[in-house]
Amino acid sequence: MAEYLPARTIEAMVKGVYWAPRDTFVSEPLEVLNLTYDGIPGDRHAGLYRNSGPREPWYPRGTPMRNERQLSILSAEENAEVAAALAIDELRPEWIGGNILLSGVPQLSQLPPRTLLMFPSGATVRIDGDNGPCKKSGAAIAANVPGRPDLEFGFVKAAKHRRGLLGWVEREGEVRPGDVVRLRIWEQSLYTA
């Protein structure tokens, strides 16, 4: 019989909020992140739906599907670990398209799908899963760290299981730096069959 971990709620702090208002995924800081059911209005990843791409080889490319990639949630602690592994001074959330930077959640990228991030305004983000690192993010880092072209591919290895999470808006509201967010982790077991 499977062993289950009980449901629980933990807290974290919002350290920063960001959006990507242009064609690039590189984001920029905001004072307030307004979340709607479409995600972040005007953001590159906004929308209830998106077209499938190379991450979904089971669909023909361009197939409309639910947008579970509205938001990129990052950990200040994991970003520091990745920066240390890459031997760079810092890994800014903007460089890798972060939308919400949290502090105080050990191993944020390991949180299971369905975890809820509940903000004081009532805004709620549902986690879809971890965000796999890619060389596109590595190239953005390399563009900000002169003389380190190795970062394009080095990031993929250094950020494995530390790249953060993807999620979508379950309930609308605002998110601000300094907010205390409650993370509701559902009862879970390790699927081994």
Side-chain angles (χ1 to χ4, degrees):
M1 176 156 218
E3 190 175 324
Y4 287 83
L5 297 174
R8 61 192 171 124
T9 300
I10 60 176
E11 290 186 347
M13 175 75 67
V14 177
K15 301 301 280 183
V17 295
Y18 313 86
W19 75 318
R22 296 173 304 281
D23 288 339
T24 177
F25 72 93
V26 174
S27 54
E28 48 189 63
L30 292 170
E31 291 183 19
V32 178
L33 194 61
N34 292 303
L35 300 180
T36 71
Y37 294 120
D38 278 335
I40 304 166
D43 185 85
R44 181 182 201 285
H45 292 105
L48 283 175
Y49 308 100
R50 68 178 181 86
N51 291 328
S52 64
R55 292 179 188 91
E56 300 84 27
W58 45 90
Y59 297 133
R61 206 165 281 188
T63 300
M65 58 182 280
R66 173 71 164 96
N67 184 7
E68 83 295 3
R69 300 179 65 86
Q70 289 178 339
L71 297 162
S72 170
I73 300 99
L74 302 173
S75 159
E77 293 84 357
E78 287 179 334
N79 278 10
E81 291 171 12
V82 173
L86 294 172
I88 60 176
D89 292 336
E90 66 177 338
L91 173 55
R92 298 188 58 81
E94 300 96 308
W95 297 348
I96 57 175
N99 298 120
I100 300 174
L101 179 66
L102 299 180
S103 179
V105 183
Q107 301 172 332
L108 175 86
S109 295
Q110 303 304 309
L111 287 172
R114 292 187 67 220
T115 297
L116 297 174
L117 280 63
M118 299 175 287
F119 299 91
S121 71
T124 302
V125 172
R126 183 175 289 263
I127 297 305
D128 179 71
D130 67 318
N131 191 3
C134 65
K135 67 178 189 167
K136 188 174 182 182
S137 294
I141 298 166
N144 285 282
V145 181
R148 293 290 308 276
D150 62 300
L151 296 174
E152 181 175 349
F153 291 101
F155 174 72
V156 175
K157 182 178 178 184
K160 187 173 177 115
H161 305 299
R162 297 188 287 197
R163 171 63 173 88
L165 300 165
L166 296 170
W168 49 273
V169 177
E170 182 167 277
R171 188 166 177 230
E172 296 180 324
E174 295 180 342
V175 180
R176 299 172 183 275
D179 280 352
V180 173
V181 55
R182 292 180 308 125
L183 291 85
R184 171 73 174 153
I185 305 166
W186 298 89
E187 179 182 62
Q188 58 183 304
S189 70
L190 183 61
Y191 182 75
T192 58

